[in-house]
Amino acid sequence: MKPTCQPSRFPSIQLRQPIERRAFLKGVGVGLALPFLEAMLPPLARAAAAERPHRMVLICNNLGVVPQYFFPKDAGANYTLSPYLEIIKEHRQDFTVFSGVAHPGVLGGHMAQPSFLTAAPGSHLASYKNTISLDQFVAEQIGFATRFPSLALGVNVGGGSSVSAISFTSTGVAIPPQEKPSEVFKELFLQGSQAEMEAQMRRLKKGQSILDAVTEQAKRMQPRISAKDRERMEQYFSSVRDLEKRFQASQDWALKPKPTVDAQPPKDVTDKAEFSKKSQLMYDLTRLSLETDSTRIVTVLLDAISTPPPVVDGEQMADGYHNLSHHGKSPELLSVLRKVEEGNMRALGQFIGDLKSAKEGDGNLLDHTMVFFGANLGDPSTHRCDNLPALLAGGGFKHGQHLAFDTQNNYPLPNLYLSMLQRMGLEKDRFATSTGTMKGLEVAA
């Protein structure tokens, strides 16, 4: 009997946020504060207030998928579903699948993982230096709008031959994913004590004072430096101003109550073999974080390399995930690996369905959330980094199609990243090695 998707661990939420009061009714010597009403805005501002924020979720399974089970054999809107896409067929009109895409110049098997969201070439070289990842690029621009500029989450992170991160700062420094759902939930929704909040404010203010001192020292140096150095200093001051804005935003959020949700803190799944179950918990937390507008940018690293023989539908598989991926076309190993990857696709399908079920305005959460699922390996069995599996759901694009590019001379995957950046409202014309926006992907009317 074909297993069915389990319901989400966390029910739909109800927010209880304080409302800012800006208007008064006055009479008989009494002033009664009113809540802010959209009707108080002029028509143009009222329309702008009704706009929903755009969001993105970026998911990497670092052992990818078996290509012949993932990629459709034909292209266009009437493509035939592949075995894996058949599992999420109820969402067919909500996603686009891509083939023949890759990151130009990114090679090296597992060593390509750090370039998954940065597209920085040369990952196979000793001289490799990573750059900023897509999520952090967006977070630098709009992260101040939410309590958490971004969230980096992970499943079974650590060990193996991979670098266990997919999020990187502007200087190429890895941002370690958070792996315990209970701690993520606490950070998102559990209000600290008064003493903890005051301690947090002291830490933030201390950071601000250090920044002030460094800035003052740098200003005193300016009269004694060259024109070229002054240009560098101006770049430095620009970075400092950006940091100051972040400090201020952090202090503001520290004083605001966290959202209240009708959900119990999750229990951590400590058994690494329960890969799909752990993944589903992270997907549930991701939905909650988006639904409460705690953040608008989430990355999820599914570290299959560090996963022992997985449990699928209560059955322990015969070998570790990494070993299974090096199947050498063995029918027996492929059969086991297929069961594991089908479990992953069911978890992804439930996540997409949960976002569709979460109402937002006249639509749902998926309408305004881009969900990108992919991998840094096109064929894990041979460590190839071309023809990467890629799927984009939601976000207000026209979906229901297979965009097939040349599987020998691959199309730049960073073009999709640029399209996603622009959908987030950033007026950029390039990201990493992009050559333009993703061909064939259009915004829905």
Side-chain angles (χ1 to χ4, degrees), residues 83-97:
Y84 286 174
L85 298 184
E86 182 72 27
I87 295 170
I88 58 173
K89 64 181 179 181
E90 64 182 298
H91 309 303
R92 177 180 180 133
Q93 298 306 316
D94 300 306
F95 68 80
T96 295
V97 62

Side-chain angles (χ1 to χ4, degrees), residues 139-141 144 149 169-171 204-205 207-212 214-215 235-251:
E140 283 192 353
Q141 309 294 316
F144 60 86
T169 68
S170 57
T171 55
L204 289 169
K205 288 178 179 177
Q208 180 73 70
S209 65
I210 292 172
L211 195 60
D212 290 342
V214 171
T215 304
Q235 293 175 349
Y236 168 77
F237 284 131
S238 178
S239 298
V240 168
R241 284 191 290 270
D242 180 59
L243 277 172
E244 287 175 338
K245 291 177 183 177
R246 294 194 189 193
F247 272 125
Q248 184 58 52
S250 297
Q251 292 183 56

Side-chain angles (χ1 to χ4, degrees), residues 147-214:
R147 183 183 297 273
F148 300 97
S150 65
L151 284 181
L153 307 179
V155 173
N156 289 354
V157 176
S161 59
S162 68
V163 178
S164 297
I166 53 174
S167 294
F168 292 84
T169 68
S170 57
T171 55
V173 176
I175 299 175
Q178 299 182 73
E179 196 185 9
K180 290 188 176 181
S182 61
E183 293 182 1
V184 177
F185 186 92
K186 178 181 178 181
E187 193 174 346
L188 285 170
F189 306 119
L190 300 187
Q191 192 72 47
S193 65
Q194 185 64 31
E196 289 172 331
M197 292 176 65
E198 290 173 356
Q200 172 69 359
M201 287 301 296
R202 286 195 296 272
R203 286 193 293 269
L204 289 169
K205 288 178 179 177
K206 183 178 180 181
Q208 180 73 70
S209 65
I210 292 172
L211 195 60
D212 290 342
V214 171

Side-chain angles (χ1 to χ4, degrees), residues 102-106 118-121 412-415 430-436:
H103 290 317
V106 174
T118 69
L413 181 56
N415 287 12
R430 185 167 185 176
F431 179 78
T433 52
S434 66
T435 59

Side-chain angles (χ1 to χ4, degrees), residues 58 139 304 309 432:
L58 309 168

